[in-house]
Amino acid sequence: MGQEKLTVGLIYGGKSGEHEVSLQTAFAVSKAFDYDKYEIIPFYITKQGTWKVGQTMTAPFRALDQLELANGADDTGAAVQMLFQGLTSGERAIDIAFPLLHGTNGEDGTIQGLFEMANLPYVGAGVLASAAGMDKVIMKKLFAEAGLEQCKYCYFTASEWESRQEVLVHGIEEKLGYPCFVKPANLGSSVGISKAKTRDELVQAITFALRYDVKVIVEEFVDAREVEVGILGNDEPLASVPGEIVSSSEYYDYSAKYSDGKSQMIIPAQIDTELADRIREVGVQAFKAIAGNGLCRADFFVKKSDNTIWINEVNTMPGFTPYSMYPLLWRETGVSYEALLDRLIGLGLERFEAKQNLNFENGI
C-alpha cells in the first residue's frame, strides 16, 4: 500500500460563455476520482477572471454550489503562486493540473501557456493544438493541409465586414449559397451560431456572430448525419466507437446540447463497420493534424447522398458531464469514466516526462 497520492489541481469556471458547463464538468469529475489514489485541490476561476483556491479535497463535492469555493479568498496571486511553486522550491504544490475549462482562456492555449511557463504537467492538448482547435479557420486550414475532406467555407474579420459588406455577401452567395451556417470563429458549444436562408438572415446572423468574436466563418449547408468519435492518446492515439447526434432542432445549437434534453446521442452510431473504421481513422488523422495530445472529440458530417466523410471540427476539451458525448463514447468502447481520468492523467505525465529530456542549451 503506502503509495503516495497524486495531487491534482482541478481548474474550472472561467471567464467564458461556458462557465456553467465547466462547473457541471468539474462536479462530475470530482465524483469520479478514486480518492485512494488522488487528492484534489480545486481552483475556481470566477466569471470576472479572479482565481480562488480551495482546501485539499479527499472526497467529492456534494453540491454544485460548493464549487464556487465561498470560503476561499479571491486571490489570483496565491493561486498562480501555487502553480509556479515547483519552479522556485523544487517541491510542487500539485503534481498535475487538470483544466476543465471550456472556451475562451481555457481551451484556447492561454492557460496551457501558463502551465508550460510553470513547468507543470497538465492534462490535455498543448498550446498549439488548443489554439488551433479553438480557431475554426486555422483548424480548417490544417485539415486541408492534411488532405482531409471538409465543407466549403468563407471567413472574414469585423473590420473587413465593416468596409466590404456587399462584396463579402456576394462572395458567400456565390461560393456557398443558401442555406448556410454562420459561426464565431473562436467559440465552443455552438454559441453564436445561426442558420441563414436569405440575404437578410445572413446579414443578421453575421451581426449576431460578431457579438462573440472579431472573426466569423460561414459554412455551406451539408445534408448529412452528424457523427463523432473520441480520441485518446499522445503519439499513438486511439479512436472510440463512433456516436451519432440526432438533433432536436435544425442544428445542434447550445440549447439542443445542454438545455432541452431532446437531442439524442446514439452510441454506437448505426453505421456499417467499414464506414465506422474509416471515421475512426480520419479522427486520428485530424487529431494529428492539429498536433493533439491527451484527448479530443472529432466531429464529422457523413453525407446522406453518398456516405462521404467530411471533418467538421475537433474539440480539444470536450464536455465531461455525465451526459456528454466523449465519456459515453469511451464507456461504450470499454473504458469507464474513472479509467478515462486515470488514462488522461497518465498521458499528461507521460508527455511532461518526454519534454524534460529535451536539451534547451545552446550548441550540441
Side-chain angles (χ1 to χ4, degrees):
M1 290 295 286
Q3 195 191 351
E4 286 270 312
K5 285 186 186 183
L6 265 185
T7 304
V8 180
L10 212 57
I11 300 163
Y12 57 87
K15 197 175 168 181
S16 142
E18 297 170 78
H19 185 95
E20 280 74 20
V21 181
S22 173
L23 294 187
Q24 287 179 26
T25 304
F27 186 56
V29 167
S30 88
K31 284 161 75 167
F33 267 115
D34 177 350
Y35 287 88
D36 290 335
K37 279 196 227 170
Y38 304 105
E39 56 183 24
I40 308 294
I41 297 179
F43 292 79
Y44 170 57
I45 305 174
T46 69
K47 282 185 176 176
Q48 288 69 43
T50 308
W51 290 54
K52 288 180 168 189
V53 186
Q55 298 297 315
T56 302
M57 296 164 56
T58 51
F61 288 113
R62 291 187 308 280
L64 204 55
D65 59 4
Q66 284 189 317
L67 277 86
E68 296 186 14
L69 308 178
N71 301 328
D74 289 5
D75 194 342
T76 301
V80 173
Q81 205 173 339
M82 275 184 92
L83 297 180
F84 277 79
Q85 194 173 309
L87 274 185
T88 47
S89 65
E91 277 291 307
R92 287 202 195 98
I94 61 175
D95 295 310
I96 187 164
F98 200 150
L100 293 168
L101 297 158
H102 302 287
T104 319
N105 292 342
E107 201 178 341
D108 56 5
T110 49
I111 199 162
Q112 289 76 12
L114 182 71
F115 300 146
E116 293 283 355
M117 295 292 285
N119 200 32
L120 185 65
Y122 57 96
V123 169
V127 175
L128 175 72
S130 300
M134 181 52 83
D135 187 312
K136 292 180 171 67
V137 175
I138 301 297
M139 187 199 304
K140 285 183 183 297
K141 290 182 174 182
L142 291 172
F143 291 158
E145 177 67 25
L148 304 182
E149 286 192 73
Q150 55 191 341
C151 66
K152 294 198 288 269
Y153 65 96
C154 300
Y155 67 93
F156 46 86
T157 61
S159 59
E160 286 171 330
W161 177 247
E162 246 168 66
S163 59
R164 301 173 45 227
Q165 183 169 326
E166 213 166 296
V167 177
L168 290 170
V169 167
H170 281 298
I172 291 164
E173 288 176 337
E174 209 164 282
K175 187 176 177 183
L176 311 179
Y178 296 110
C180 57
F181 285 103
V182 180
K183 307 175 178 181
N186 287 279
L187 212 64
S189 275
S190 314
V191 174
I193 295 183
S194 313
K195 185 178 185 179
K197 297 172 188 169
T198 63
R199 184 177 290 191
D200 283 352
E201 285 183 10
L202 177 65
V203 173
Q204 269 180 322
I206 291 167
T207 308
F208 178 57
L210 286 169
R211 283 168 42 189
Y212 295 96
D213 194 17
V214 292
K215 184 161 66 172
V216 161
I217 184 165
V218 187
E219 297 173 359
E220 70 170 310
F221 168 75
V222 196
D223 188 20
R225 298 165 71 175
E226 292 187 51
V227 178
E228 305 181 346
V229 290
I231 309 293
L232 181 65
N234 286 337
D235 298 333
E236 293 174 16
L238 302 171
S240 72
V241 298
E244 183 172 2
I245 298 289
V246 180
S247 183
S248 57
S249 62
E250 278 204 74
Y251 55 96
Y252 196 37
D253 62 4
Y254 190 88
S255 69
K257 237 177 211 184
Y258 297 113
S259 314
D260 69 10
K262 290 177 199 151
S263 287
Q264 273 185 291
M265 290 188 282
I266 300 165
I267 306 171
Q270 292 163 355
I271 53 180
D272 69 56
T273 312
E274 203 177 311
L275 186 59
D277 286 348
R278 180 83 188 108
I279 289 168
R280 295 170 81 166
E281 199 180 300
V282 182
V284 168
Q285 287 172 358
F287 182 75
K288 289 182 170 177
I290 63 153
N293 274 102
L295 75 161
C296 92
R297 195 191 67 235
D299 301 352
F300 295 92
F301 294 129
V302 177
K303 281 181 75 179
K304 288 179 182 171
S305 58
D306 59 4
N307 273 351
T308 314
I309 300 162
W310 285 8
I311 183 77
N312 176 23
E313 61 183 22
V314 292
N315 188 317
T316 57
M317 188 55 241
F320 252 90
T321 56
Y323 39 83
S324 293
M325 189 59 135
Y326 186 85
L328 292 175
L329 286 170
W330 280 107
R331 190 178 76 182
E332 186 63 32
T333 314
V335 183
S336 71
Y337 202 57
E338 200 173 280
L340 197 53
L341 295 177
D342 281 346
R343 185 78 189 105
L344 287 170
I345 286 168
L347 288 165
L349 293 168
E350 181 188 292
R351 177 169 171 266
F352 179 78
E353 288 309 320
K355 287 183 78 172
Q356 297 316 292
N357 301 326
L358 299 176
N359 186 355
F360 293 103
E361 303 297 323
N362 287 329
I364 47 171

